Amino acid sequence: MSYAFVFPGQGSQSVGMLSELADSHKEVQEVFSEASDVLGYDLWDLVQNDASGKLNQTDVTQPAMLASGIAVYRTLAAQSDLAPTYMAGHSLGEYTALVASGVMTLAQGIELVAERGRLMQSAVPEGAGAMAAVLGLEDDQVVAVCSQIEGVVEAVNFNSPGQVVIAGEKAAVDAAMEAATEAGASRVVPLPVSVPSHCSLMKPAADALAEKLAGMSFSAAQTPVLHNVNVAVSSTEEEIKQALVQQLYQPVQWVKTVQAMKENGVEQLFELGPGKVLMGLNRRIDRKMGMVAVYDNATLEKAISSL
């Protein structure tokens, strides 16, 4: 059976995530300990006992989610011989896929996404940007709605058929939400985020990220990773860096990513990390693909029996 691993992005985090898995598998604590050494604070303690809401700050969310995905991946790898055909991740999850595939070390990944979060937050003042999910319209309808609005608002996440996320300046997003409803959207839902990800407002952050990436060295991927922006596998270190820079201010092509894996023979997807957001999206993209979300002991055992 040909299978792929996919990793979730921001929005899947929750206080107490992976606690059950950590009680039974040392790999979880080992990953979080390594991540904490890079960050200079106890990431596991924050994830388990967040009393101040820091887990939802993007510069904390991103390393927490990356560590969680790698913790699940290493736990699964310790239990079973793994041979995925592809890896991919949604937004931030692309970094998790690159760590899992051996392109970058865990320390490099944690350092990068913590900086990525800081850059994103500083690119747009808090409250100046917004994101919203538009449900029930075709992709081109959402793009057309955004093009009619004054100001910056763009379709940025093509998550599943009938679900597209828009992002940009708050006033423009608000206007686009109203226009999408008038165009026949079944629901338009504002998202609780602090930055408008994957839109052109993130270009300054992308430029700064490019400088950070320029000083880093990566290895060849042990498993091909499909990038968000072009649904392609990079063949060089420079192509990987370019894809990560572009990802900050260009759309996430998740529907095309899942379809590409299916067209290349993938029969089963395993979502590694807290929650099962991607499993829900993937079912709407292709119900015939097998899907397992792995985030606790029961789902770990299900994954092992499916491999």
Side-chain angles (χ1 to χ4, degrees), residues 141-264:
Q141 289 180 287
V142 179
V143 172
V145 163
C146 291
S147 69
Q148 297 164 10
I149 304 300
E150 185 177 349
V152 177
V153 58
E154 300 157 10
V156 297
N157 292 356
F158 296 94
N159 285 337
S160 68
Q163 186 188 128
V164 178
V165 172
I166 61 175
E169 296 166 341
K170 187 177 187 312
V173 171
D174 289 344
M177 291 171 64
E178 185 175 341
T181 300
E182 293 172 356
S186 57
R187 288 181 67 202
V188 182
V189 184
L191 301 179
V193 297
S194 58
V195 293
S197 302
H198 304 293
C199 74
S200 56
L201 297 177
M202 288 292 110
K203 187 63 166 62
D207 293 340
L209 182 67
E211 294 181 16
K212 175 76 173 177
L213 286 165
M216 304 183 79
S217 296
F218 296 150
S219 302
Q222 297 166 9
T223 301
V225 176
L226 286 171
H227 294 296
N228 286 179
V229 295
N230 55 14
V231 198
V233 175
S234 292
S235 57
T236 68
E237 181 180 27
E238 191 53 43
E239 286 179 355
I240 293 170
K241 292 178 179 180
Q242 185 178 26
L244 292 177
V245 171
Q246 292 174 341
Q247 188 222 51
L248 258 189
Y249 65 96
Q250 294 186 20
V252 173
Q253 300 287 353
W254 191 248
V255 174
K256 291 180 180 179
T257 298
V258 174
Q259 290 172 339
M261 289 190 282
K262 176 68 176 290
E263 290 166 4
N264 284 281

Side-chain angles (χ1 to χ4, degrees), residues 31 41 55 64 74-76 94 116 152 213 232-233 247 257 274 290 299 306:
V31 167
Y41 61 85
L55 182 58
R74 290 188 181 175
T75 300
L76 183 60
E94 184 171 325
R116 180 179 183 264
V152 177
L213 286 165
V233 175
Q247 188 222 51
T257 298
T299 53
S306 300

Side-chain angles (χ1 to χ4, degrees), residues 10-305:
Q10 293 187 83
S12 292
Q13 73 275 7
S14 62
V15 176
M17 60 187 183
L18 302 190
S19 59
E20 182 190 284
L21 211 59
D23 288 341
S24 307
H25 301 279
K26 62 182 176 60
E27 291 80 12
V28 178
Q29 290 286 6
E30 288 172 352
V31 167
F32 273 85
S33 177
E34 187 175 343
S36 297
D37 289 343
V38 174
L39 295 168
Y41 61 85
D42 190 334
L43 183 61
W44 180 252
D45 180 67
L46 189 152
V47 166
Q48 298 303 306
N49 307 293
D50 182 29
S52 56
K54 287 185 177 180
L55 182 58
N56 291 326
Q57 294 176 4
T58 189
D59 59 327
V60 175
T61 307
Q62 296 196 34
M65 284 299 300
L66 189 148
S68 295
I70 295 302
V72 174
Y73 173 74
R74 290 188 181 175
T75 300
L76 183 60
Q79 304 292 312
S80 181
D81 292 331
L82 304 180
T85 304
Y86 289 101
M87 293 186 185
H90 189 285
S91 186
L92 162 74
E94 184 171 325
Y95 287 79
T96 317
L98 289 167
V99 173
S101 71
V103 169
M104 59 181 75
T105 66
L106 174 60
Q108 284 179 314
I110 293 293
E111 179 185 350
L112 262 176
V113 299
E115 179 66 8
R116 180 179 183 264
R118 287 190 288 270
L119 293 172
M120 291 170 69
Q121 193 66 70
S122 63
V124 179
E126 191 162 356
M131 300 181 74
V134 179
L135 310 179
L137 292 181
E138 298 292 331
D139 292 356
D140 57 356
Q141 289 180 287
V142 179
V143 172
V145 163
C146 291
S147 69
Q148 297 164 10
I149 304 300
E150 185 177 349
V152 177
V153 58
E154 300 157 10
V156 297
N157 292 356
F158 296 94
N159 285 337
S160 68
Q163 186 188 128
V164 178
V165 172
I166 61 175
E169 296 166 341
K170 187 177 187 312
V173 171
D174 289 344
M177 291 171 64
E178 185 175 341
T181 300
E182 293 172 356
S186 57
R187 288 181 67 202
V188 182
V189 184
L191 301 179
V193 297
S194 58
V195 293
S197 302
H198 304 293
C199 74
S200 56
L201 297 177
M202 288 292 110
K203 187 63 166 62
D207 293 340
L209 182 67
E211 294 181 16
K212 175 76 173 177
L213 286 165
M216 304 183 79
S217 296
F218 296 150
S219 302
Q222 297 166 9
T223 301
V225 176
L226 286 171
H227 294 296
N228 286 179
V229 295
N230 55 14
V231 198
V233 175
S234 292
S235 57
T236 68
E237 181 180 27
E238 191 53 43
E239 286 179 355
I240 293 170
K241 292 178 179 180
Q242 185 178 26
L244 292 177
V245 171
Q246 292 174 341
Q247 188 222 51
L248 258 189
Y249 65 96
Q250 294 186 20
V252 173
Q253 300 287 353
W254 191 248
V255 174
K256 291 180 180 179
T257 298
V258 174
Q259 290 172 339
M261 289 190 282
K262 176 68 176 290
E263 290 166 4
N264 284 281
V266 172
E267 302 165 89
Q268 179 113 1
L269 295 176
F270 293 87
E271 178 180 359
L272 307 185
K276 44 190 175 181
V277 169
L278 296 184
M279 189 163 71
L281 297 180
N282 298 343
R283 279 178 174 160
R284 290 193 285 273
I285 297 168
D286 190 333
R287 281 194 165 274
K288 294 182 180 179
M289 290 184 77
M291 292 165 203
V292 178
V294 186
Y295 51 86
D296 61 12
N297 289 331
T299 53
L300 176 68
E301 291 304 315
K302 183 177 180 180
I304 292 169
S305 66

